[in-house]
Structures are given as C-alpha cells and as structure tokens.
Amino acid sequence: MFPNVILGAFGQFFIVFFCCFVLFVSTDRWHVGERCLAPCPENGKFSEGTISSIEKDKNGKSFAIVSFLESEDKKILISELCRVEADRCSWKSVIFDDGDLEKPYFPGQNLPSSPVAFKLSDNGDFIPYTINRYLRDYQREGAQFLYWHYANKRGCILGDDMGLGKTVQVISFLAAVLHKKGTREDIENNMPEFLRRTMKKESKCNPKKTFLIVAPLSVLYNWKDELETWGYFKVSVLHGSKKEDDLNRVKQGKCEVALTTYETLRLYLDELNK
C-alpha cells in the first residue's frame, strides 16, 4: 500500500507543478525578437512569426504584436503563442491541412485549370485533379493514348517533340493506373503494412503493380526528381552500389516504379522477368 500512496501523491504534485510551469512560460517568458507560432485570427491556422512588441491592456491581459512574413502584423494573446522549438509533431497536424500536402505544388504559379480529375476509363482510372489541373489538352490526349494501348496490352511510342512534356504525360498515366490522388491518402498508402494496420487503414492503391522505366544514365535521376515532384510514388533506382537492395525491393513488390539504365537492364534482365 505504501509505495502506491507515495506514487499517487507524487503524481498529484507533478501535475500541479507542471501546470504552473506551463502558465509561467506562456505568460512571462516571451521576449521581443523571439520567433513563435501564432494562430491567424481569420482562420485559426498557425504560422511562424516574430514578436515585435509585448503590451498589456487595461485588464492586465498580455498581448504580443507578431510580425508575419506574408501578412500584416497581428495582435495576439500571449497565452495563444506556441514555441517554435517545441516538438513539431504535436502541432504539425494543426499547421498543415490536406491542401498543403498536395503534389505537385508550384508556389507562386496560378492554377491553369479547375481541380477536376480526368477520366481515362470506366474502371476507375483517373488522372488525379492535382496533376490534371496543370496539363494541356494535348498532354491529356497523350496520357489517354498510353492508357488505351496499356489496357489493350499493346506497345506504343509517344513521339512528341522535345519540350512538350512527354515525362509528365507518362507520370500522368502512371498516376491513373496506380490510383494515385496526390494527397495525404497517398502518403498513408505508401506506409509499411504494419503501420497501416495500426492506423486501421486499408491501401486503396495498387501496390502489386510495378512499372519499369529504362533511360540513359544522364536523365535517370531527372526521372526520379520528376516522379517526386508530381506525386507520391514508391520509387527504386536500380543503379550504383545499392542496386542489389533495390532489386530485392522490386521482387518483393515494395516499389511502384523502378528506374534503371540500358546497361543495368541487360545485366539483370532474367531476374526482372521473373
């Protein structure tokens, strides 16, 4: 009995002490020039700013004048400020909404078209709106051309001139076939299976489909960069000292797009065909 009583008493003391400590920090330990996280009065979304001054009103409440990079100064209660050095995991979901996680994201660029998915078939294969809104009409036609031949198990050649976005057309096609959304949903689907089970999430993409892209070494990593820019793809690069490890990932179905060179393909053609 005695140890339990001591533990309970200590637990109560710790809770009281901790609450007092937080109150003390939040009201009296802010300084002019210090960075902070403050809620925007319009939408409540937290942004990083700098305290330009601290003042009190006639009722004794403490306020900070916070300067933001992309908006005017705001007068915010000291008690509503958060410290930048705190564990970002605790407030990350408050700062970033689903729109912040969309891919692709091109800051400062106006969206050329409305956010609507582009239907490629009646089987639920769509170019996600996150990509489609940046495509030109001929690029949609190119993705549709690739998809038609793929659905009919036929080979094809996309013969556009240089600079017309053949890479983007291929990525649009891959996003449709892999049922990508370009949103938080893709991030969750790309998590290891044991993590999805703990989150009680079922993958809605097609993890068993793997596409092989063969390219000259000079543009191999350009492909990787473009795939990372335009969506959330699980990519393996079969090149260099770690190509054996990446080959095992491909065999285990842990990647969606495998990138390699012509030379590496010749060396591992039999294994990739298995």
Side-chain angles (χ1 to χ4, degrees):
M1 294 287 296
F2 182 73
N4 292 333
V5 172
I6 294 297
L7 181 61
F10 177 77
Q12 291 177 2
F13 170 76
F14 176 77
I15 292 171
V16 173
F17 173 77
F18 180 76
C19 292
C20 293
F21 176 74
V22 172
L23 180 64
F24 175 71
V25 169
S26 62
T27 56
D28 299 324
R29 293 290 295 274
W30 290 102
H31 304 284
V32 173
E34 191 173 5
R35 292 184 301 131
C36 66
L37 292 168
C40 177
E42 288 79 13
N43 55 26
K45 185 177 177 180
F46 279 72
S47 299
E48 186 172 325
T50 304
I51 298 175
S52 57
S53 66
I54 296 176
E55 57 189 49
K56 289 187 178 182
D57 64 8
K58 60 182 180 181
N59 297 320
K61 291 185 177 181
S62 298
F63 289 85
I65 306 301
V66 181
S67 300
F68 299 97
L69 291 176
E70 299 178 359
S71 62
E72 59 185 3
D73 295 356
K74 305 290 185 182
K75 185 177 181 180
I76 299 171
L77 276 169
I78 286 283
S79 59
E80 295 181 354
L81 302 182
C82 296
R83 295 195 176 277
V84 175
E85 294 80 10
D87 183 7
R88 290 179 180 259
C89 293
S90 62
W91 47 262
K92 187 174 181 180
S93 60
V94 178
I95 296 178
F96 298 111
D97 55 28
D98 286 344
D100 295 319
L101 297 173
E102 289 181 355
K103 276 191 176 184
Y105 171 64
F106 302 115
Q109 181 174 332
N110 294 327
L111 298 178
S113 61
S114 59
V116 178
F118 184 74
K119 181 179 178 180
L120 291 179
S121 75
D122 295 327
N123 300 325
D125 293 333
F126 296 81
I127 298 175
Y129 74 87
T130 52
I131 294 178
N132 184 50
R133 60 190 176 188
Y134 290 103
L135 299 181
R136 300 181 183 275
D137 288 338
Y138 74 85
Q139 292 173 328
R140 296 185 184 96
E141 291 178 9
Q144 204 162 30
F145 168 79
L146 292 171
Y147 182 84
W148 186 88
H149 283 82
Y150 166 80
N152 288 279
K153 303 184 185 303
R154 298 176 59 178
C156 65
I157 297 175
L158 185 63
D160 280 352
D161 291 334
M162 289 186 63
L164 293 181
K166 293 187 293 298
T167 303
V168 173
Q169 294 174 57
V170 173
I171 292 175
S172 301
F173 156 73
L174 292 175
V177 174
L178 292 169
H179 293 179
K180 294 295 182 180
K181 301 293 189 296
T183 62
R184 182 192 298 271
E185 185 176 328
D186 291 344
I187 300 174
E188 295 173 352
N189 287 337
N190 287 351
M191 290 179 178
E193 187 177 349
F194 75 92
L195 283 179
R196 291 201 303 270
R197 285 199 300 266
T198 60
M199 297 172 61
K200 297 182 179 179
K201 294 278 187 180
E202 293 184 4
S203 177
K204 298 178 182 179
C205 62
N206 292 288
K208 293 184 179 180
K209 291 185 178 181
T210 303
F211 292 86
L212 178 66
I213 295 178
V214 185
L217 178 59
S218 58
V219 297
L220 189 67
Y221 288 92
N222 290 347
W223 269 99
K224 184 175 183 293
D225 291 341
E226 290 296 320
L227 285 162
E228 290 177 351
T229 297
W230 287 88
Y232 295 101
F233 297 91
K234 291 185 286 187
V235 180
S236 291
V237 180
L238 305 181
H239 179 73
S241 59
K242 295 183 178 180
K243 58 178 174 290
E244 295 284 351
D245 294 335
D246 284 300
L247 181 61
N248 288 330
R249 291 187 69 238
V250 174
K251 291 179 179 179
Q252 295 168 15
K254 293 183 177 180
C255 83
E256 296 165 326
V257 181
L259 301 171
T260 193
T261 63
Y262 303 113
E263 293 77 10
T264 304
L265 176 63
R266 284 199 296 269
L267 292 173
Y268 293 95
L269 183 60
D270 291 338
E271 293 187 65
L272 288 170
N273 279 330
K274 292 179 180 177

